[in-house]
Every structure is written in C-alpha cells, then in structure tokens.
Amino acid sequence: MTLERNILLALLAGAALLPFAVTDQYILHLAIMALFYAVLASSLNLVVGYVGEFSLGHTAFLGTGAYTAALLSTQAGMPMWVTIPLAGLVSAVFGFAIGAITLRLQGPYFVIVTLSFAEVLRIIANNWIAVTNGPMGLAGVGQTLFGDVAVTDKAGFFLIMLGIAAVALYLSYRFVYSNAGRAAVAVRENRYVAQSIGVDPFGTAMQAFVLGAFLAGLAGGFYAHYISFVGPEVFRFAFMATMIIMVLLGGKGTLIGPLAGAVIVTVLEEYLREVQELRLTLFGLIVMAIVLFLPNGLMGFIALRREQQAAKPTLNAAKERTV
C-alpha cells in the first residue's frame, strides 16, 4: 500500500516537470495521449481488475462524456472547468443505469450486454442528427478553460490532463484501499464466500462500476476539447480493445499496472503507425502472449520476482541447516 502510493506520487511529480523540460510538441502530444489512456485503463481496471467482471462496454461512458462536453461547449458555450466535471457526472448517471441492469448478470451474459449498450449508444449518436449531427459529428468544440482564458498549446493541455489523471488515481486509490475495495476483491475471488461473510456483491460492484464510469466520462470530456471534435467513432470497439490491452499488459488488479500499460501501448501505437490495418492484429497477438506467459501482466511478473528474491535467503539458510 505504502510502496504503491509512493510510486504513484513519484510518477505524478515527475510528470509535472515534463512540460518544463520538453518543448517538442509531438512528445507532449504522446504524453497527453498516454495520460488520457492511463485514466481510461484505470477506470476499466476498477471493474475488470477488482470486481472481476469483464466489461466490453466501457466506451459507452467515454463517448457519453465526450458528447456531453461537446454539446455543453458548442450549444451553451461553457468552458472546460464546467464541461469536464459535468461530463464525468453524466457518465456516472449512465453507469448507474447500465450497471443496475448488467451487474445482475455474470460471465458471458455480462460481457455481451455491456457490449450491446455501447453499440446502442453508437447507433443513437449516428442517427440522432438533430442533437449529435449524426455521422458528421460535433466540430469546433471550444478550448476555453475559464472566462477568456483559452488553452493554446500542448503544455497547457498536458497539465489539465495531468490534473484529471491525479484526480482519477486519488479516487481509485481511495476506493481500492477502502472497505468497499476490499469487498470488491472478495467478490472477485469468490462471490459466494463473500456473500457468506456479509458482502453485497451487487452493491460493491455498483460502486466500482459507477466510479469507473465517472472517470471514463472525465477522460471523454477532456478528449472532446483536446481534439475539438466528437463523432460516433468515439464509441468504436478499437478504444475498448486498446483499454483491455493496457490493463492486461500492465497487470489488472493493481493501480500501477494500467499506467505502465498505457505508456507502453501509446508508444507502440506510434511505432506501428505504418502498418495501420495490422495494428489490431499485432495487439491481438500481444494479448495472446500475455495471457499465455504473463497472466498477471508486468506488475504480476515483477511481484513474483520480488517474492522469489525475498525467499532465496530463507531457502539458502534451510539448505545450510540441512547440510
């Protein structure tokens, strides 16, 4: 707990220095996208890693947040400090409504229904032309932070995204190390044993689900302002696949794992940009390799190595006594 908290604080402190040390706009863009994906992966990790339910509909909350921020900005002229928190709250309301239905299901039924909700929202965004402008999307989303102050460079967007990431990690940390977080882990390990000791699986999963939806909505709200455009493709499965890869690669059920996965996959995506259509295929192969050789991700592998190193002196002492 203390080690994980200190590492997170060190990472945030180091990231805060980046815009002062780096002026290259391309590198800052990569850093912004890595933070964006880190928030998304962390939000998905609350459901997949701690509750143990495999959601394929997390893009529903990303898209809801993005469209909420875009509509509030283009239609009501609201600045970012208003639209992004409201995007998170609207996504949390959607999360509560969707969770009330889907969290009563388990296993493949939960997976299919959550995927269906994301697809339904994509179809609505694509066809409700009066509100969403259909396939043309909402363009010209404002980049005003507050009052007349507009964000005009990558360094400004990076600091905003870093603030959102800090909020996301703080809320995730508070949840994971609370009684609700420990109850979620109990539900993940064995739902029936958890019930036998008084844990409410549905209520516990709902807390993680709504918090995950809120964080994904915050990320979606930022994405709308950063890109200045939102279209139905924000609900596409490619976002979902990227989130899953990040969580599995870094290590589900840890706070640091999704961050590591987000950085690695963001950099890999840039290196693999030349093989556009093959990227998902290559990522699919990476997921297969992770499942086969690193089932607990990079953080799980590191934890295993640490345990083995710690056990060596004990084993050596036992051998010496035997001799």
Side-chain angles (χ1 to χ4, degrees), residues 192-215:
Y192 301 107
V193 172
Q195 279 181 306
S196 70
I197 58 174
V199 173
D200 175 16
F202 176 77
T204 302
M206 178 64 85
Q207 291 182 50
F209 201 76
V210 172
L211 178 57
F214 174 73
L215 299 181

Side-chain angles (χ1 to χ4, degrees), residues 50-267:
Y50 289 97
V51 178
E53 293 291 354
F54 201 83
S55 171
L56 284 183
H58 216 60
T59 49
F61 311 126
L62 167 69
T64 301
Y67 267 101
T68 300
L71 287 170
L72 291 173
S73 175
T74 56
Q75 304 298 321
M78 292 184 179
M80 273 189 267
W81 75 271
V82 177
T83 58
I84 293 177
L86 286 177
L89 290 174
V90 172
S91 294
V93 172
F94 268 74
F96 181 81
I98 295 174
I101 300 171
T102 58
L103 290 174
R104 300 180 190 282
L105 307 171
Q106 295 178 44
Y109 304 105
F110 176 81
V111 175
I112 293 170
V113 175
T114 51
L115 178 62
S116 301
F117 269 109
E119 185 61 15
V120 166
L121 288 177
R122 188 192 66 79
I123 292 172
I124 291 174
N126 206 36
N127 291 279
W128 197 5
I129 296 175
V131 176
T132 65
N133 204 26
M136 301 298 291
L138 298 170
V141 180
Q143 296 184 331
T144 303
L145 182 58
F146 55 84
D148 295 329
V149 178
V151 183
T152 57
D153 58 359
K154 302 289 188 203
F157 277 109
F158 176 84
L159 291 174
I160 294 172
M161 193 62 233
L162 181 61
I164 295 172
V167 170
L169 289 175
Y170 174 74
L171 293 177
S172 299
Y173 180 85
R174 295 288 298 183
F175 172 79
V176 167
Y177 290 106
S178 68
N179 289 336
R182 297 183 183 95
V185 173
V187 172
R188 179 192 69 191
E189 295 301 319
N190 193 312
R191 172 181 290 262
Y192 301 107
V193 172
Q195 279 181 306
S196 70
I197 58 174
V199 173
D200 175 16
F202 176 77
T204 302
M206 178 64 85
Q207 291 182 50
F209 201 76
V210 172
L211 178 57
F214 174 73
L215 299 181
L218 290 181
F222 171 84
Y223 182 80
H225 287 284
Y226 181 58
I227 303 298
S228 292
F229 173 81
V230 176
E233 62 273 10
V234 76
F235 293 102
R236 70 181 190 274
F237 189 73
F239 269 119
M240 192 67 241
T242 304
M243 282 187 264
I244 292 171
I245 292 168
M246 289 171 176
V247 172
L248 294 181
L249 176 61
K252 62 182 180 178
T254 67
L255 291 174
I256 300 173
L259 306 185
V263 173
I264 294 171
V265 173
T266 302
V267 173

